[in-house]
């Protein structure tokens, strides 16, 4: 049985395909379109998934779409009545999108016009946004029973949902309606700090450790805790938008409307303009926003834990991308084990909606847990060599052992390496398939990377990939973090050994590398360990102000555009001369 899930007409549109509950492929549309957060119909991702599964469109048994325009319809109508034009016009936005959803079978028919739209229509299931998030975490997790949290900006008029997963069923416990949203709270302050783009929230998170959270009390008037695991926003601090919170132009790039009101400016001061310097006050505000957000997440979770009595937890949704908060959950709540999928944000909706149909609707038993994010495009050495020859690029082909040695040699000599290996990752993090690597021991690695490739804000940290056997040696918390979804404190005595991946507060957003899942990446790091004694590499995404590279052509272009020292495409090595 083949099930295709999609996230469409929504930021980070994507597709995922399962055969009998087993994940065959999943990818974001942006990897093909080359536009970050691309938000239209994911036709190229769908074609990729069908190709990987070796089937045609008509062979799909079910199609799951991770949104339901009819969810909370009465609440939406009431909201519209209470908030006439000039208010947050989220309803109009949702209605226009729902029109698109109802004609989605026509979009599918465009992929293969020999398949009739009416036949496809019968196979389509609409799965509400947050149930898709919950399913993306629980049905992919190793747990038979777990408490569940989905938390984001907003989707299908909901911003937060809790539930219980048991076997092949999810039961919803509680949900919070738009516009009361932790995601929108965090985004409003991200904008206020001068980071206006969709997805800029990680910049606030990266800035926070430079500040002192002295404005938390002041923020309690903006984010109102109800102390029962629930919350609301004080809406006077948020601006009425006239064209929806997130809009999508013809270019399918999501744009976020300005969210904060004059009241917020009165209380916290003028917003920082994009190129103004970041003052200590800005850093303190970032620290305060991060701190109160963490407090609220722990409050929601602790109440969920009391209600369910469970110690396993699954989390998804945009706010679940807050790896700093994620890394503190077990130390601040009674939960013991946590699963967060590689695509915890909206791209994961494709995977979640398909899993929801397979388990919840069709009543199949939960399949194997998903520990891999390597579900995207792959290219053989043959394909790569043909491409390089067509471009007259000089390269060397090395067997694995020589390849690891050559890469390690480049890294220990201060080189920056583009590492293209196996299937591309699903989700926002590069995990050793499409990564740029550097020596974590170099104090100047951050400057080196920023000058050679990334040119990003100097306050943002770079992440460590660590062999999983060595986590307890380097980190204060020992846990598997396969998708770089948690930040842990680095042991004091190790911080000076790996300055390039130690953030200003002594933490690191680690990826634990498992030999069974990431064999070649593991062996490369192990080779580096044998040479240097350090089982860690600095890992950042293989891109330069663009979506992560997907094909050898994009990797080569990025290499040629930047000052990277070495490019590894499977077993082919290109060295800058
Ligand atoms: Fe979402």
């Amino acid at each position: 049985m083949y099930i295709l899930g999609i996230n469409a007409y929504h930021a980070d549109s994507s597709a995922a395909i399962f055969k009998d509950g087993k994940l065959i492929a999943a990818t974001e549309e942006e990897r093909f379109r080359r536009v970050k957060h691309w938000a239209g119909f994911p036709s190229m991702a769908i074609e990729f998934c069908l190709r990987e599964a070796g089937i045609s469109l008509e062979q799909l048994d079910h199609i799951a779409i991770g949104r339901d325009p009819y969810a909370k319809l009465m609440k939406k109508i009431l909201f519209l009545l209470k908030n006439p034009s000039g208010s947050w016009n989220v309803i109009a936005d949702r209605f226009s999108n729902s029109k698109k959803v109802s004609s989605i079978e026509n979009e599918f028919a465009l992929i293969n016009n020999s398949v009739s739209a009416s036949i496809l229509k019968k196979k389509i299931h609409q799965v509400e946004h947050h149930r898709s998030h919950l399913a993306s975490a629980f049905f992919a997790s190793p747990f038979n029973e777990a408490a569940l949290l989905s938390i984001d900006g907003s989707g299908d008029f909901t911003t937060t949902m809790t539930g219980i997963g048991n076997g092949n069923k999810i039961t919803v416990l509680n949900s919070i309606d738009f516009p009361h949203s932790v995601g929108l709270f965090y985004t409003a302050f991200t904008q206020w700090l001068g980071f206006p783009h969709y997805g800029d929230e990680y910049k606030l998170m990266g800035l926070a450790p430079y500040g002192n959270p002295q404005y938390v009390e002041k923020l309690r008037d903006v984010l109102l805790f109800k102390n029962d695991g629930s919350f609301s926003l004080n809406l006077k601090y948020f601006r009425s938008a006239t064209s929806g919170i997130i809009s999508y132009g013809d270019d399918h790039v999501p744009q976020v409307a300005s969210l904060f009101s004059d009241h917020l400016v009165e209380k916290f001061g003028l917003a920082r303009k994009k190129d103004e310097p970041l003052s200590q006050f800005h850093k303190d505000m970032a620290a305060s926003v991060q701190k109160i957000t963490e407090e609220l997440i722990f409050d929601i979770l602790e109440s969920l834990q009391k209600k369910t009595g469970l110690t396993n937890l699954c989390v998804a949704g945009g706010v679940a991308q807050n790896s700093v908060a994620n890394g503190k959950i077990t130390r601040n709540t009674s939960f013991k084990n946590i699963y967060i999928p590689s695509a915890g944000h909206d791209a994961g909706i494709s995977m979640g909606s398909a899993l929801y149909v397979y388990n919840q609707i069709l009543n199949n038993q939960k399949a194997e847990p998903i520990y891999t994010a390597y579900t995207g495009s792959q290219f053989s050495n043959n394909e790569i060599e043909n491409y390089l020859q067509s471009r007259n690029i000089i390269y060397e082909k090395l067997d694995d052992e020589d390849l690891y040695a050559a890469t390690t040699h480049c890294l220990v000599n201060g080189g920056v390496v583009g590492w293209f290996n196996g299937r591309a990752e699903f989700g926002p993090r590069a995990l050793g398939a499409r990564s740029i690597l550097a020596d974590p021991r170099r104090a100047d690695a951050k400057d080196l990377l920023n000058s050679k490739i990334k040119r990003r804000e100097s306050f943002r940290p770079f992440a460590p990939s660590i062999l999983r056997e060595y986590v307890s040696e380097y980190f204060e918390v020992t846990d598997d973090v396969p998708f770089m979804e948690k930040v842990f404190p680095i042991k004091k005595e190790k911080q000076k050994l790996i300055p390039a991946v130690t953030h200003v507060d002594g933490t690191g957003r680690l990826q634990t590398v498992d030999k069974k899942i990431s064999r070649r990446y593991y062996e490369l790091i192990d080779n580096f360990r044998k040479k240097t004694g350090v089982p860690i590499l600095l890992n950042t995404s293989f891109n330069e102000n663009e979506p992560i590279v997907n094909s050898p052509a994009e990797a080569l272009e990025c290499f040629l555009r930047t000052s990277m020292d070495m490019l590894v495409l499977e077993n082919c090595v290109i060295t800058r001369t």
Side-chain angles (χ1 to χ4, degrees), residues 10 129-130 133 150-155 317-318 345-346 349:
H10 206 293
H129 185 91
H130 285 269
H133 273 317
S150 168
I151 184 162
D152 67 8
S154 128
H345 65 325
D346 283 345
I349 287 289

Side-chain angles (χ1 to χ4, degrees), residues 371-418:
Y371 289 119
T372 178
Y374 309 122
T375 59
S377 301
Q378 183 168 23
F379 298 85
S380 67
N381 275 312
N382 250 344
E383 287 171 293
I384 290 166
E385 285 191 84
N386 286 338
Y387 175 71
L388 293 176
Q389 285 161 14
S390 78
R391 294 279 314 261
N392 289 320
I393 301 284
I394 297 167
Y395 67 93
E396 228 185 326
K397 193 174 175 195
L398 302 177
D399 64 31
D400 279 0
E401 286 312 313
D402 290 341
L403 182 79
Y404 304 142
T407 307
T408 296
H409 180 77
C410 180
L411 290 167
V412 297
N413 286 294
V416 173
V417 177

